[in-house]
Amino acid sequence: MQLCANKLDKKDFFGKSDPFLVFYRSNEDGTFTICHKTEVVKNTLNPVWQPFSIPVRALCNGDYDRTVKIDVYDWDRDGSHDFIGEFTTSYRELSKAQNQFTVYEVLNPRKKCKKKKYVNSGTVTLLSFSVDSEFTFVDYIKGGTQLNFTVAIDFTASNGNPLQPTSLHYMSPYQLSAYAMALKAVGEIIQDYDSDKLFPAYGFGAKLPPEGRISHQFPLNNNDEDPNCAGIEGVLESYFQSLRTVQLYGPTYFAPVINQVARAAAKISDGSQYYVLLIITDGVISDMTQTKEAIVSASSLPMSIIIVGVGPAMFEAMEELDGDDVRVSSRGRYAERDIVQFVPFRDYVDRSGNQVLSMARLAKDVLAEIPEQLLSYMRTRDIQPRPPPPANPSPTSAPEQP
């Protein structure tokens, strides 16, 4: 909404007033709670305040007829702001201003009692008022949006020989490796948002038998036609099988697998599917320029990238790809949205060795940004959630797989 005022009382000895508004929500017990303050407009009795947004629940707790009190003050540097006057309204009354200006008299009760000829202390006019619905992540999931989960695992030699206990891929009979833990932690939660529970899973940076070809996106299940694994258990099984058959090599290229998932995501523009790529790596990256370009291109698509760093490396390159502080750019082009979330696994390892706790902590942080990333895509494309299907929905069509 946007408001302005006219002919407010002059409160400053030198110059005019410096007015601002304070909005209060009324509570059930008759008290008032501040819910918004406007900016101060200096030295004027006819201020025009900037438009602002406020959640309906903050203004009236969802009760459209609940009293909303608005005080008008003159700002003073020492904090002893002078009261000019007040008026009351309600959400329902404010919403009528979508069709017409609404003018409120600003009244000062003390002045009203003292002066017989007192009319008011000025007026406030509601210039504009509009209401937007903000959808939540759950609204889209209820409306049938599917999360398509793809896994990419780093099979480069810097991880160490999988047969040695020092390796990040070490297959101990007693506990999961950091790779397996990260995969299980994130996958077990995200699979609940994927109806078919089929996950394409790839490895990168290995030499493949029999001829020793280096691949940067080989299917873990060794099936080029159908890289899908059944559930997270199926992904883990294929991952362990690949460790036994391929040779860890290099270099570490992220771009091929990012581009592969992006090609699938590019075919979907109606909000029915959203792609999440989980890359688990020891952090040494060889194609930074190409990866940045792939991320910038993918930022306009319905997809997010989670990078989990395992091992003791310094992950500066990964931090750079996570656009929380500085948006990723390539050749002068900036990412449309921040779609990368990077976390170092070591920050989540429970000191007592409790793997379940480590995995729960990791999953919570890793998945925290996905809902907002999905919403930012839907908002920029003006895609609204579909109404939830009836109680017995028909089977959904199979998602496009990368």
Side-chain angles (χ1 to χ4, degrees), residues 168-223:
L168 295 168
H169 282 302
Y170 180 56
M171 291 188 286
S172 162
Y174 306 109
Q175 63 177 31
L176 293 171
S177 68
Y179 274 89
M181 267 202 284
L183 176 57
K184 200 170 161 68
V186 178
E188 284 189 344
I189 289 179
I190 215 164
Q191 72 178 352
D192 289 338
Y193 296 89
D194 189 320
S195 61
D196 66 5
K197 309 277 188 286
L198 293 174
F199 306 122
Y202 299 93
F204 56 89
K207 272 188 174 180
L208 308 186
E211 71 276 5
R213 177 177 61 89
I214 299 167
S215 174
H216 302 292
Q217 55 192 89
F218 61 92
L220 295 184
N221 65 2
N222 203 26
N223 183 342

Side-chain angles (χ1 to χ4, degrees), residues 306-326:
I306 298 167
I307 304 173
V308 177
V310 295
M314 297 305 288
F315 291 110
E316 291 99 335
M318 301 301 110
E319 298 280 8
E320 196 181 329
L321 296 177
D322 186 335
D324 282 349
D325 299 321
V326 180

Side-chain angles (χ1 to χ4, degrees), residues 119-171:
V119 180
N120 59 41
S121 294
T123 59
V124 168
T125 303
L126 182 60
L127 296 174
S128 63
F129 184 92
S130 62
V131 185
D132 293 322
S133 293
E134 286 214 332
F135 299 109
T136 66
F137 177 67
V138 174
D139 291 330
Y140 286 96
I141 298 301
K142 279 183 178 171
T145 296
Q146 291 287 319
L147 294 190
N148 294 325
F149 183 48
T150 302
V151 180
I153 295 176
D154 185 336
F155 278 77
T156 55
S158 52
N159 285 285
N161 183 341
L163 301 174
Q164 301 293 329
T166 51
S167 171
L168 295 168
H169 282 302
Y170 180 56
M171 291 188 286

Side-chain angles (χ1 to χ4, degrees), residues 39-100:
E39 79 282 9
V40 176
V41 182
K42 292 287 188 76
N43 199 29
T44 178
L45 303 179
N46 304 299
V48 179
W49 289 281
Q50 292 291 323
F52 68 91
S53 298
I54 182 170
V56 171
R57 67 178 177 278
L59 189 67
C60 65
N61 210 20
D63 176 356
Y64 293 0
D65 297 305
R66 183 178 295 213
T67 300
V68 175
K69 185 163 81 82
I70 300 164
D71 287 353
V72 187
Y73 282 96
D74 166 43
W75 177 86
D76 282 332
R77 189 181 299 280
D78 63 4
S80 61
H81 311 309
D82 299 316
F83 178 69
I84 295 175
E86 65 184 18
F87 61 95
T88 59
T89 182
S90 66
Y91 171 84
R92 196 179 299 281
E93 199 174 298
L94 289 166
S95 64
K96 289 174 184 168
Q98 292 182 77
N99 309 317
Q100 64 198 49

Side-chain angles (χ1 to χ4, degrees), residues 1-18:
M1 64 179 105
Q2 183 176 25
L3 300 104
C4 70
N6 277 294
K7 298 181 181 174
L8 294 175
D9 285 354
K10 180 175 178 293
K11 288 287 181 180
D12 291 345
F13 191 70
F14 299 108
K16 297 167 184 172
S17 295
D18 304 319

Side-chain angles (χ1 to χ4, degrees), residues 325-340:
D325 299 321
V326 180
R327 191 63 61 87
V328 178
S329 63
S330 169
R331 302 189 204 176
R333 208 162 53 103
Y334 282 85
E336 187 180 305
R337 303 179 295 124
D338 171 20
I339 64 166
V340 179

Side-chain angles (χ1 to χ4, degrees), residues 250-364:
T252 309
Y253 290 165
F254 283 8
V257 76
I258 293 173
N259 288 329
Q260 179 145 353
V261 175
R263 281 193 292 275
K267 296 174 184 172
I268 306 296
S269 57
D270 61 357
S272 62
Q273 294 172 40
Y274 191 86
Y275 289 78
V276 178
L277 168 62
L278 171 65
I279 298 175
I280 311 175
T281 177
D282 70 348
V284 183
I285 180 168
S286 314
D287 67 339
M288 191 66 167
T289 304
Q290 292 86 341
T291 295
K292 281 184 174 178
E293 190 163 335
I295 289 169
V296 169
S297 297
S299 68
S300 63
L301 301 173
M303 74 178 274
S304 289
I305 301 165
I306 298 167
I307 304 173
V308 177
V310 295
M314 297 305 288
F315 291 110
E316 291 99 335
M318 301 301 110
E319 298 280 8
E320 196 181 329
L321 296 177
D322 186 335
D324 282 349
D325 299 321
V326 180
R327 191 63 61 87
V328 178
S329 63
S330 169
R331 302 189 204 176
R333 208 162 53 103
Y334 282 85
E336 187 180 305
R337 303 179 295 124
D338 171 20
I339 64 166
V340 179
Q341 160 79 332
F342 166 73
V343 292
F345 185 65
R346 58 171 175 253
D347 290 1
Y348 300 87
V349 175
D350 181 63
R351 294 207 176 130
S352 68
N354 183 330
Q355 288 199 338
V356 175
L357 205 55
S358 302
M359 286 158 62
R361 285 175 181 163
L362 175 74
K364 182 173 179 289

